Amino acid sequence: MSEDLFKGPATRHEQWQHSAHLARATWITPQQLCPPGRRLVVVAPHPDDEILACGGLLASLRGREADLLLISVTDGEASHPGSQHWTEYRLRRQRPQESRNALHKLGLDVQTLNWQRLSLKDTAVARDEAFLVNHLSQLLRADDQLLCTWRGDGHCDHEAVGRACAQAAQAKSVALLEVPVWAWYWAEPEDTRLPWERAYKVQLDADALQRKQQAITAHVSQLETDGERPPVLPAETLECLMQPFELVFR
């Protein structure tokens, strides 16, 4: 992560409620964004990013698993550096299983889901960015809707994935959606660093929102304290990510 962005406290949900930029963002439904027959390709830097970024949208696609391709770029093994409890060895196995449990809680049929795990090195995706661009370019179809983390999100892997997806999308003339995850933590409600002119709010119904909330609880490693260390996912940021919409830059 970019340390300077995370020096201060997390921006709280109540503060975001007063954002004029957020209020002006255009509403869009999951069906408008990804109508039946159109494939959604979700590229998640770490196990949990697919839930945090677009768990509600994914829940809206249950029964349409054939229209979904999920790509997990890393296994998330670097989330607890130096931890004796959550070692890299343990996290490589734990976090993908948490993702599997979370997808099940969304109501998706994980057995039939097209889910690729690339197992690139956590916190070093930029090193394999060219590989990721090439891999995506071979997978993408012209009518796909590609979704990934935002290029300016503040985490090195989120940004590398965003750059790779943007490059592949341009090369294949594919529609791209970028989703802020960590920006909810460090950005301010009227922050000009966010591309508000491209902002849309994907409307979530009560069922999709509830399923997303349940799915987040599957990521136990990211929600528990580790000795004196606080959880990886701050409560303030989780509250922002569990609003009845998902913010995307289109």
Side-chain angles (χ1 to χ4, degrees):
M1 293 188 183
S2 176
E3 296 299 328
D4 289 342
L5 292 177
F6 295 90
K7 282 182 177 177
T11 304
R12 299 188 313 278
H13 176 256
E14 306 85 74
Q15 295 171 269
W16 281 108
Q17 298 309 295
H18 301 289
S19 169
H21 285 303
L22 193 57
R24 284 194 295 265
T26 303
W27 286 95
I28 190 170
T29 68
Q31 292 72 27
Q32 289 172 315
L33 201 59
C34 195
R38 186 179 194 186
R39 189 172 69 159
L40 177 67
V41 180
V42 176
V43 186
H46 314 99
D48 76 357
D49 285 320
E50 70 279 4
I51 305 299
L52 299 173
C54 62
L57 175 59
L58 292 177
S60 301
L61 292 180
R62 64 187 183 282
R64 291 179 51 194
E65 284 80 0
D67 289 341
L68 178 61
L69 168 60
L70 173 61
I71 301 172
S72 297
V73 177
T74 79
D75 292 331
E77 71 275 7
S79 65
H80 292 70
S83 173
Q84 298 300 306
H85 179 65
W86 291 113
T87 63
E88 288 196 8
Y89 177 84
R90 184 180 181 190
L91 286 165
R92 279 194 194 97
R93 287 148 183 79
Q94 171 78 14
R95 296 198 65 188
Q97 185 57 50
E98 290 175 350
S99 270
R100 180 173 293 275
N101 295 342
L103 292 167
H104 179 73
K105 287 177 181 289
L106 290 181
L108 295 172
D109 184 349
V110 183
Q111 299 302 319
T112 63
L113 187 63
N114 189 353
W115 183 10
Q116 294 188 7
R117 287 176 51 202
L118 303 184
S119 296
L120 301 186
K121 186 170 176 55
D122 191 2
T123 71
V125 174
R127 186 182 64 188
D128 293 309
E129 206 168 309
F131 161 80
L132 186 54
V133 172
N134 182 62
H135 185 72
L136 290 169
S137 297
Q138 293 181 49
L139 290 173
L140 291 173
R141 309 168 187 161
D143 62 342
D144 281 344
Q145 176 66 74
L146 179 60
L147 184 149
C148 64
T149 45
W150 174 44
R151 280 168 278 182
D153 204 37
H155 187 293
C156 58
D157 287 345
H158 286 213
E159 296 187 352
V161 166
R163 290 192 302 267
C165 286
Q167 189 173 338
Q170 183 176 24
K172 301 292 287 188
S173 299
V174 166
L176 177 67
L177 294 172
E178 297 179 83
V179 185
V181 175
W182 282 109
W184 289 104
Y185 180 103
W186 56 260
E188 298 174 353
E190 306 303 335
D191 208 312
T192 58
R193 291 170 290 184
L194 276 64
W196 292 112
E197 70 282 358
R198 297 194 284 122
Y200 287 75
K201 290 181 289 194
V202 183
Q203 187 171 5
L204 306 180
D205 62 28
D207 181 69
L209 181 59
Q210 183 180 33
R211 288 176 183 273
K212 179 177 181 176
Q213 292 169 339
Q214 291 172 347
I216 287 175
T217 66
H219 294 282
V220 177
S221 65
Q222 309 304 292
L223 299 173
E224 290 184 345
T225 56
D226 181 19
E228 295 183 357
R229 294 184 183 184
V232 173
L233 294 171
E236 298 89 343
T237 304
L238 281 175
E239 189 176 7
C240 294
L241 289 162
M242 290 193 288
Q243 298 180 79
F245 64 86
E246 288 166 338
L247 185 65
V248 301
F249 302 135
R250 199 178 186 190

